Structures are given as structure tokens and as C-alpha cells.
Amino acid sequence: MKRYLKLVNFEVNRFLKLYVVLLGVTILSQIIGVIVNSRSYLNRANEIIYENFLPKSEFIENYGAMSFVDIVDSVWFLGPILACGVVLIIYVFFIWYRDWFGKNTFSYRLLMLPTARITIYFAKATTILLFVLGLIALQLLLLPVETQVFQWMVPSEFRADMPIQAITNSPNLSILFPNSFIEFVLYYGGGITAVFIVFTAILFERSFRIKGIIFGIVYCATSLLIFLTPLLVNTFMLNHYLYPMELFFLELAVGLIVLACAIWIGHFLLKNKIRV
Amino acid sequence: MKRYWKVISICLITILVIGTFYIQSSLATSNHGKIEFEKVSGDEDELQNIMLIGNFLPDDSNLYQRLQITNEETIDSTNLSFFQRLSKAGTPDLLEDLVEKHKHFMRSKELIPNYFFEDEQIVAYVNIKNSNKQQMKELTFDIEVLTKQSEEVTAFQVDVPQKENNYSMNVVDIQVINNDLKIITRGGNREELRVYTIDRNTQKLVSDEMITAVPVVENSWSDLSIIDDTFYSIGKQKYLLIKIEVFDRNSPYRDDGKRHAVVDELILYDTENNQAKKIDKPSEMVESMDSSSAIYDSTIFIPSQTANSVEVHQYDIENDKWGEILSFDLSDTKDNERGFHTQIVNGKLYTIRDTDHGHTIVISDLQTGKSLYQGKLKVTNQGEVQKNYRLYIYGIEDVQ
């Protein structure tokens, strides 16, 4: 356990600088986004109201009041979220390969540690999960701040206020914030399972090099196929025999099996096959 | 421990923030606007068996809550729990009961209300199977009947008689009368309604008749619709009311932006006797008909709105006669009106209006013309941010 904690701490520290940059960019870009979008709305309102002599109430009726969702849909807001996502996806690979291609043969030292090698595997996965959830938490912390800025910028008669829950339910953000806690666990659980599968595929490549790439791809495809089996069988062979609830529990079970296989194969490769 | 402060603080903040968010949002969903009825006059028992369907939403966004309102509770069906949503997924409201009670029978079926029939004794299901995917040939009726008491399922197939150029065909309604299974279909190279009668004992096709078809007019487009409040039900129905309109593509638009119909017919189909007859109607009648029209007992009611009242045309099916026009005065509310919903359910006229001072609801008896209940819809439990949310009612359902 202590080894595991140490390793997690070590991995987190290795990525921390870049992570802090990501956090900073997100905060900055989103707050600028709030200001820019509010300004442009107000400018347009001014133009229309003063140039066309349209009463305020009529302008709001015709063009609609501004809500925070308008800001959420802008590049300023979604851009950094997307960028963070891409960086983290790249880091899923990088977190392994930097040990091999880094300055010195670090992987050698790492694999020689007097601990079960699977701990390394878990530590890396934990780090990724921690970073993802950290970004989600940051977004949640940012939203109240941003709505406050929005309220300072736009006078109340031009504004349609919404609770944070309604904002996170808007189409673009509902991907990050599922409706209920159960769904949150399911979505991010699915995500971390995918990370485990990719980790194992990377270990295939590290164990068998060129041949390993093919093994890795075949392994990923097989995992996906196994995961989709209940759905495919229900649709094409059973003629939709199963109800959604039954299918869900079947998928959950199969998902857990796929996850267990990924960890087990990863463990096997690390222990017996990995080449430094 | 000191060495780990970064990891520990990331963990703590993350858990705290996400945890708080989900605790708050679960509190917020249980805290949605609740709609209550406030009686002005009449009998409150009138509210017992109805459910209002509506949306509760801010004026300028599409983040709405779909509400089902009864006099006891307000269900926000956009905010059901994950498992509630999962168990309802893909099942239309009308079929929920059937799925719950006859879980096994309902498996592997297309859950479209038109394909089902239910009475005290049986549940019947008919779907059309097409073994030749390219062309609409070799069609078969895929029939399954469940006897409720014995839980016995009879499944059989009956070939659909060959029709030339059948480019589409679907089941519109099913009725079971004694031993006969009647399948009403829509399709053909010109839009037509047919009824296929199948004997349940011999499992053979007994008859195949055309109910009505859209007349062929060159360079035109047509509209065939079945009008009835209970059309989307799966129970017994004595009558189907069919509206046919044909428009000439070349005719000029009228002032109201519509075209003049070359053909407009109202056809009443009696499912028990397999008889279709045209209804002579006052000229403007067909056009004004919409889904708010309804058949109750053996009277067709067709409501239409005027400035201060709702007028209801009534047609007595048995005596083949248009009765006097019922007029329901609604001039008592002087406020600026926005939304107006009229519907006939079980022989009663429901009108719901959205005024400056909230919604008013009036229930009137169509037989006597008397007002049975008048009241207001009060939004309570409205959160601070939901203050500029508005309520839109668009449907009334009978829930007995």
C-alpha cells in the first residue's frame, strides 16, 4: 500500500507542472469567454436598441435574453475542456513510454523496485483517473465563479439566470456531468476500464515490440467485441428479447469481466514478458 | 505524510466538490416545481381521473422539465432516477402496463401502441413481416394472442393477399370482436385504408375490404388522418373517424397561407359492422378538425375556439344528424391570454388557458352544457431560479 501511494505521488508529481498549466489555461480561457460573450451580446443589444430605437423589452422579446448556456457553447469555454481531454488521452500513452524513452533507462529502475509490478500499473491508472476527476472538479468550482462574473457583466433584465444543475444539464456539458451519481460512476468507470485496456495493449507492445502492436490491436478489438456481445446478440440473434434493464445488468457484468481480464493480462505481461 | 500533500489535496478537493455537486443536484431534482389545483367553483372530484401533461421551462431556452400533473402529485419525468428511466426506456406510456403485467408475452415485440389490442380476456399483437426486403411483396401478418386467464399464447402467421405495387403498408389499428381479429392497415400505391378480418379459430383470412382511399387527382397532394382522442389507445373502439383532404398543387394560396382543398371528406368507420360512411358536414368543418375532436358514446364532438368561447359541433352517429352547436362562454377571464388548450376526454370538455394571472382550468359537461369545475393551477415549490419559468399544458389524459 505504501509503495502504491509512493508511486502515485511520484507519477502525479511528474505531470503536475503540465497539469497546473492545463488548469490555468482552462480558468483563464473560460473567464475570458464569459467576458467576451457578455460584451458582444451587450454591444449587439446597444446597437439594435439605440440605432433602431427599439424598446428594451421588445429587443428581449425578439432576440431573447442571454443565458449562461450561450457562453457554454462558445469556443472559449469548450476549447480548453477539449484540449485537456486530448492532453490526457495522449498522456495515457506517454505515462508508459516516457519510462522507456526518457533520459535514462528509467523503466529498468522502476521494474526492479522491490514490489509487485502490478502496483506500477495501478499507480499509473490511478494518476490518470485522479487528473480527470480533478479537471471535472475544477469545472464545477469554476461554474459558480463564472456565473457570478456573468451576473456582474450583464444587467439582470437581459439575463436569464439558471442554477448550476441546469447549466451542467445543457447538451455540451451533460457529457462531463451525467445526470445522477450512478451514471457518473458508470461513465467514468467505463472510461477507466478503457484506460486499463489501452495500458494492457501498451504492455503487449512493450513485451513483443512490432508483433506486440498487432497483439495489442487484436486484444483491444477482442475486448470491445466481448463488451458488445450482449448488445449484438440481443439485437441480431434474440430479436430484442431482453428488456433494457436486463441488458444493462448483463453489460455491467461483461464490463467487469473485461476489466478483470485487462488487469490479469497486464499483470501477467508485467511479471513474465516485459522487456526493458 | 507531508510528502504526499499534493496527491492528498487533489483527492480531497475532487471528492468534496463532486460529492457536493451530486448531493445538491439530487436535492434539487426532488425540489422541482409542483402544480396544485385551486378550486374556484364546482366539484373537486372531477380532477380525480385526469392527468395534465405539460412542460415547465424558461422562456428562452430549451432546458425544460416535462411534468405530469394530477391532483395528488406532480411528476417531473425529465428527472427520473437512472433505474426508473432504464426500466421505461423504449416503452411508450400506453404500453407500460402491458409490459409490467405480461412481461414474457411482450418480449421481442415492436412496442408500438397501434400493433396492440387489449380487453378483459386477451391481448393481441399484429405486425407485418416482409420477407422480401427489396420489394413490398410476400407480406405476412405476424399474429400473437395471449389469453389472460390461462396465460396461453397462440402465435400464427397469415399471408397478406398479393397487392400490386404495395410500396408501403403498416398496421394502424387492431380490433378483436368475438372471434374475429380485424387488422386495419394503411398503404398501397395510393393511400388507402383496408381491413383484414381473420378468424381466430381457423387462423384463416375471412375477408379483405377497402375502407376508404384517397381519390386520385392529378398534380395534387393529399392528407389522410385518423382523428380521435382514443385512437392511440389499445382498447376497444367502435368507431374510427377518418379525414381526407386533397390539395391542388397549382391552386393559389389563400389569405391564411393554406390552399383550398379540392376534396375534403369525413368518413366514419364502424369497426363492428365493417361499414364506412361519409358524413355530410358543414363546409368549414373538416378543415377545423384536429386532434381535439373526439367520439364519445355515439356522438362526434368537434370543438373550435372563438375569441371568448369554445364552440362544439356535435354529430349524432346513430341518427345521422348534426346537432345544435354547443357554446361554452369563457369571457370571464379578461386577462391577456397566451396559451389555450382544449380537449375532450370522456364526454367532458377541458379548457386550460394561460393568462397573466396563471392558468385557469374549466371542465364542462357536453351533455348538459354545464360547468362542472372551475379552478386555477398554482405553481408552488418554485425555486428562486425557476421564477421566470413558464408552464405550458399540451395534453390531458384519462387515468382511471
Side-chain angles (χ1 to χ4, degrees):
Chain A
M1 191 64 201
K2 205 168 170 214
R3 289 274 170 206
Y4 165 74
L5 249 176
K6 259 188 183 163
L7 277 168
V8 172
N9 186 47
F10 167 72
E11 290 288 358
V12 168
N13 279 328
R14 282 220 282 182
F15 189 64
L16 204 61
K17 269 188 200 147
L18 187 56
Y19 190 62
V20 171
V21 171
L22 282 180
L23 298 183
V25 168
T26 308
I27 296 171
L28 218 67
S29 169
Q30 291 196 348
I31 293 199
I32 291 173
V34 174
I35 296 169
V36 168
N37 280 303
S38 308
R39 277 242 173 117
S40 79
Y41 175 86
L42 287 177
N43 285 344
R44 205 168 67 117
N46 269 335
E47 246 171 59
I48 293 169
I49 291 170
Y50 292 109
E51 285 177 15
N52 304 342
F53 304 108
L54 204 69
K56 258 186 200 172
S57 57
E58 209 164 301
F59 168 81
I60 292 165
E61 207 166 285
N62 290 343
Y63 296 87
M66 189 181 182
S67 76
F68 198 78
V69 172
D70 298 324
I71 295 170
V72 169
D73 289 341
S74 73
V75 181
W76 286 106
F77 197 95
L78 292 177
I81 296 179
L82 215 67
C84 290
V86 171
V87 169
L88 281 176
I89 288 172
I90 294 172
Y91 197 65
V92 167
F93 294 89
F94 198 66
I95 203 172
W96 285 98
Y97 285 109
R98 76 187 290 176
D99 293 345
W100 268 269
F101 301 122
K103 268 183 212 146
N104 32 42
T105 45
F106 189 76
S107 59
Y108 184 76
R109 287 194 345 212
L110 203 57
L111 291 171
M112 284 299 141
L113 286 178
T115 170
R117 284 175 172 183
I118 192 75
T119 319
I120 301 168
Y121 182 93
F122 281 131
K124 288 186 191 297
T126 311
T127 309
I128 301 280
L129 186 69
L130 212 57
F131 283 146
V132 171
L133 295 183
L135 282 171
I136 296 293
L138 171 78
Q139 188 63 73
L140 282 179
L141 284 175
L142 266 178
L143 281 173
V145 177
E146 288 163 356
T147 43
Q148 191 57 56
V149 173
F150 173 60
Q151 286 175 3
W152 284 330
M153 294 285 303
V154 181
S156 63
E157 66 257 41
F158 289 109
R159 214 171 59 212
D161 285 336
M162 307 168 142
I164 302 290
Q165 268 78 24
I167 297 171
T168 54
N169 265 338
S170 69
N172 280 326
L173 282 188
S174 58
I175 308 163
L176 295 184
F177 306 102
N179 250 323
S180 60
F181 189 66
I182 298 175
E183 279 158 286
F184 183 84
V185 172
L186 287 172
Y187 283 27
Y188 288 94
I192 197 68
T193 307
V195 169
F196 274 120
I197 290 171
V198 173
F199 274 12
T200 301
I202 291 169
L203 290 177
F204 267 115
E205 190 277 328
R206 286 291 89 197
S207 304
F208 305 103
R209 302 293 147 103
I210 302 285
K211 251 197 295 176
I213 295 178
I214 298 163
F215 290 161
I217 291 170
V218 171
Y219 162 74
C220 284
T222 315
S223 293
L224 189 68
L225 188 73
I226 292 173
F227 181 69
L228 292 178
T229 304
L231 258 166
L232 297 174
V233 169
N234 187 48
T235 308
F236 297 108
M237 287 165 74
L238 294 176
N239 193 17
H240 299 285
Y241 183 83
L242 297 170
Y243 285 116
M245 189 74 101
E246 298 160 344
L247 198 58
F248 167 74
F249 282 112
L250 215 58
E251 278 297 340
L252 191 66
V254 174
L256 289 175
I257 292 171
V258 169
L259 174 67
C261 283
I263 294 171
W264 186 79
I265 296 172
H267 176 62
F268 176 82
L269 292 173
L270 268 173
K271 209 170 150 195
N272 305 318
K273 296 278 182 223
I274 200 89
R275 295 201 297 190
V276 181
Chain B
M1 230 33 193
K2 241 183 184 171
R3 287 166 51 197
Y4 302 135
W5 73 270
K6 285 174 204 158
V7 179
I8 292 171
S9 45
I10 294 180
C11 278
L12 274 181
I13 293 172
T14 305
I15 292 170
L16 265 174
V17 170
I18 295 176
T20 318
F21 172 72
Y22 278 104
I23 290 169
Q24 267 185 356
S25 56
S26 72
L27 288 178
T29 49
S30 59
N31 219 346
H32 61 77
K34 190 174 182 322
I35 317 294
E36 279 167 5
F37 292 92
E38 191 185 272
K39 185 176 104 168
V40 174
S41 66
D43 184 2
E44 265 173 337
D45 287 346
E46 293 297 329
L47 300 171
Q48 216 57 230
N49 298 322
I50 58 159
M51 180 193 276
L52 310 184
I53 316 280
N55 287 341
F56 193 47
L57 74 169
D59 280 340
D60 48 4
S61 106
N62 51 2
L63 298 169
Y64 67 94
Q65 299 175 318
R66 182 175 181 263
L67 300 182
Q68 296 173 305
I69 305 153
T70 67
N71 63 341
E72 270 146 27
E73 56 177 350
T74 306
I75 302 165
D76 181 354
S77 50
T78 30
N79 271 325
L80 295 173
S81 80
F82 174 68
F83 286 107
Q84 279 170 321
R85 261 181 293 137
L86 199 60
S87 67
K88 277 168 181 265
T91 311
D93 293 353
L94 265 175
L95 297 179
E96 260 172 28
D97 256 11
L98 275 185
V99 170
E100 206 173 293
K101 282 185 196 141
H102 309 287
K103 214 166 177 174
H104 191 69
F105 176 75
M106 298 297 280
R107 279 184 196 278
S108 295
K109 296 202 167 35
E110 261 188 81
L111 299 180
I112 295 174
N114 300 15
Y115 297 178
F116 288 88
F117 173 87
E118 187 191 18
D119 65 9
E120 287 85 47
Q121 281 93 40
I122 61 153
V123 180
Y125 168 79
V126 179
N127 194 0
I128 297 178
K129 257 205 187 139
N130 180 14
S131 44
N132 185 340
K133 291 270 184 269
Q134 273 79 44
Q135 285 167 302
M136 291 294 285
K137 282 180 179 172
E138 292 157 49
L139 302 179
T140 43
F141 288 125
D142 213 359
I143 301 166
E144 278 187 53
V145 181
L146 167 82
T147 313
K148 279 185 178 172
Q149 205 164 16
S150 59
E151 290 196 9
E152 192 185 320
V153 178
T154 329
F156 58 97
Q157 296 195 324
V158 174
D159 286 337
V160 180
Q162 276 291 329
K163 293 265 159 0
E164 290 292 318
N165 304 322
N166 248 346
Y167 66 85
S168 77
M169 186 174 185
N170 47 52
V171 175
V172 171
D173 195 20
I174 302 168
Q175 291 292 316
V176 177
I177 296 154
N178 302 326
N179 257 325
D180 286 343
L181 182 72
K182 297 191 177 211
I183 306 166
I184 295 154
T185 65
R186 177 177 181 162
N189 58 342
R190 54 182 189 144
E191 202 70 338
E192 62 180 24
L193 288 181
R194 299 192 78 87
V195 55
Y196 295 87
T197 310
I198 288 161
D199 189 317
R200 274 170 57 209
N201 289 344
T202 60
Q203 305 185 349
K204 291 254 158 51
L205 185 74
V206 184
S207 71
D208 161 15
E209 292 164 70
M210 191 178 82
I211 298 172
T212 183
V214 173
V216 182
V217 178
E218 220 171 283
N219 210 0
S220 67
W221 87 90
S222 59
D223 186 17
L224 184 153
S225 45
I226 297 174
I227 295 181
D228 189 2
D229 63 329
T230 51
F231 171 55
Y232 294 103
S233 82
I234 51 172
K236 208 174 195 112
Q237 256 175 282
K238 197 166 173 343
Y239 299 106
L240 287 185
L241 191 58
I242 302 143
K243 169 174 135 176
I244 295 177
E245 282 179 294
V246 179
F247 302 93
D248 187 349
R249 277 183 204 281
N250 299 322
S251 72
Y253 286 104
R254 293 185 323 216
D255 289 344
D256 59 357
K258 289 182 188 158
R259 280 187 160 127
H260 187 73
V262 195
V263 178
D264 61 338
E265 286 175 357
L266 203 55
I267 290 149
L268 185 76
Y269 177 66
D270 181 335
T271 51
E272 277 173 27
N273 305 316
N274 272 11
Q275 275 174 345
K277 68 174 176 192
K278 263 186 210 168
I279 295 177
D280 286 330
K281 75 262 167 202
S283 58
E284 77 293 344
M285 202 76 271
V286 173
E287 206 178 302
S288 70
M289 275 181 74
D290 57 20
S291 58
S292 60
S293 307
I295 300 176
Y296 183 68
D297 275 345
S298 58
T299 312
I300 303 172
F301 293 101
I302 305 169
S304 65
Q305 289 162 25
T306 59
N308 290 321
S309 65
V310 174
E311 286 186 346
V312 181
H313 295 260
Q314 45 177 341
Y315 178 80
D316 183 340
I317 295 170
E318 266 151 32
N319 298 320
D320 233 341
K321 242 175 38 195
W322 286 94
E324 57 176 316
I325 298 170
L326 302 169
S327 181
F328 296 91
D329 184 28
L330 296 171
S331 56
D332 54 318
T333 344
K334 296 265 184 333
D335 294 313
N336 192 14
E337 277 175 27
R338 294 173 287 218
F340 202 167
H341 181 76
T342 316
Q343 200 174 327
I344 289 169
V345 180
N346 276 339
K348 289 170 195 164
L349 176 76
Y350 294 79
T351 40
I352 294 172
R353 285 172 300 158
D354 181 9
T355 70
D356 280 349
H357 297 284
H359 286 71
T360 61
I361 172 167
V362 178
I363 307 175
S364 320
D365 191 320
L366 286 169
Q367 244 102 42
T368 60
K370 275 190 187 137
S371 157
L372 298 170
Y373 175 85
Q374 286 196 24
K376 283 184 172 166
L377 293 180
K378 278 264 174 291
V379 182
T380 59
N381 208 7
Q382 197 169 8
E384 182 62 29
V385 226
Q386 291 170 325
K387 264 193 178 149
N388 46 16
Y389 275 40
R390 277 244 306 268
L391 179 69
Y392 296 87
I393 302 287
Y394 58 81
I396 299 164
E397 269 175 31
D398 172 31
V399 279
Q400 290 200 336

